[in-house]
Amino acid sequence: MTRYVGIDPSTKLGKCILNEDGKVLEAVEITSEETHDPARLIDLTIQAVSDIERDDWVFIEGFSYGSKGSAVDIQYGLGWLIRAELYRRRIPYIEVSPNSLKKFAAGKGNCKKDAMVLPIYKKWGFESDSDNIRDAYVLSRVAMAMSMPQKLTAYQQEAINNIHKEMRKNEKRIKG
C-alpha cells in the first residue's frame, strides 16, 4: 500500500501520513521529553522516521532561509538530522520549499500561516490547530499530487512545476 508522508521539522515537529485514498492515517505534532540538545533533537528525529517505510513517498519542508531567531538553529539542526536519518535508512525524500508548500495550499507562496487554514479546509476538509500539522498535511498532499494524476488548480500545478525545478537544481548541485 502506498503511503504519503509529510514532515515539517520545526520546534514542534509536524508529521502526517496519508494512505493511497488520501485518508489520514496519522497527523501528529511530535514533541520530546528530553530537555537538552542534542538528546532532544535525536529523540524528535527517531520519532519522526521510526514508522516510515522504504516505499513511502516522503516530502519534507525545506529550510526557511529568511527566518531569524534561535528557533531557526533548532529547525536547521533537526532538519539535517531527519534528512541524514532518512538517508541512512535509504529512504528517499523530496524537499519542498516553504513558498511552494504555501502556493500549493493557498495559491500564494508568501501567504501567512493563518491564511492557509481556510483553503486547506475547503479543498480537503482537513483542520488542525497546529500549523506544523497543517504544513505536514499539505506536504503529504503534494506527495500524492506528484505520484498520481489528479485534478489540480492552476496554482497547484504551478507549485508542482516549481518543485520539479527545485529538484533539478538540487540534482545539478549534487552531481557538480
Side-chain angles (χ1 to χ4, degrees):
M1 171 165 85
T2 303
R3 299 183 327 158
Y4 305 96
V5 181
I7 299 173
D8 177 18
S10 192
T11 50
K12 292 181 182 172
L13 189 144
K15 179 178 172 184
C16 183
I17 301 176
L18 303 178
N19 71 8
E20 56 200 11
D21 297 322
K23 180 181 177 212
V24 176
L25 301 176
E26 178 180 34
V28 296
E29 192 166 68
I30 299 171
T31 58
S32 176
E33 298 293 319
E34 297 288 344
T35 56
H36 298 289
D37 294 328
R40 186 174 67 85
L41 296 177
I42 292 169
D43 181 40
L44 289 169
T45 299
I46 291 167
Q47 289 185 69
V49 303
S50 64
D51 61 345
I52 295 176
E53 300 165 6
R54 274 207 178 145
D55 55 346
D56 287 345
W57 282 68
V58 180
F59 281 50
I60 186 167
E61 186 171 8
F63 297 111
S64 177
Y65 293 109
S67 298
K68 295 180 175 130
S70 62
V72 173
D73 294 338
I74 291 167
Q75 291 171 359
Y76 287 161
L78 181 59
W80 279 117
L81 282 172
I82 291 170
R83 286 163 175 80
E85 186 61 20
L86 289 169
Y87 176 82
R88 190 185 72 76
R89 293 176 184 224
R90 294 186 172 95
I91 298 171
Y93 64 88
I94 294 174
E95 285 188 38
V96 177
S97 72
N99 287 352
S100 292
L101 184 153
K102 291 174 182 179
K103 184 164 193 89
F104 188 84
K108 291 171 68 176
N110 62 350
C111 73
K112 302 279 185 211
K113 292 210 177 250
D114 296 359
M116 292 173 54
V117 174
L118 189 56
I120 291 169
Y121 182 75
K122 280 184 170 181
K123 182 159 263 325
W124 298 292
F126 181 81
E127 58 186 327
S128 173
D129 292 337
S130 164
D131 59 353
N132 301 309
I133 294 173
R134 286 192 304 267
D135 283 357
Y137 178 81
V138 172
L139 288 164
S140 62
R141 283 292 178 174
V142 171
M144 277 189 79
M146 289 182 69
S147 74
M148 67 172 75
Q150 53 191 268
K151 187 175 179 178
L152 300 174
T153 65
Y155 64 80
Q156 287 177 317
Q157 188 58 58
E158 190 176 325
I160 296 293
N161 294 343
N162 289 341
I163 294 165
H164 281 294
K165 285 179 193 172
E166 293 165 10
M167 290 168 59
R168 285 191 297 275
K169 197 184 317 178
N170 286 337
E171 282 177 11
K172 286 180 185 175
R173 215 177 297 142
I174 291 168
K175 290 179 182 176

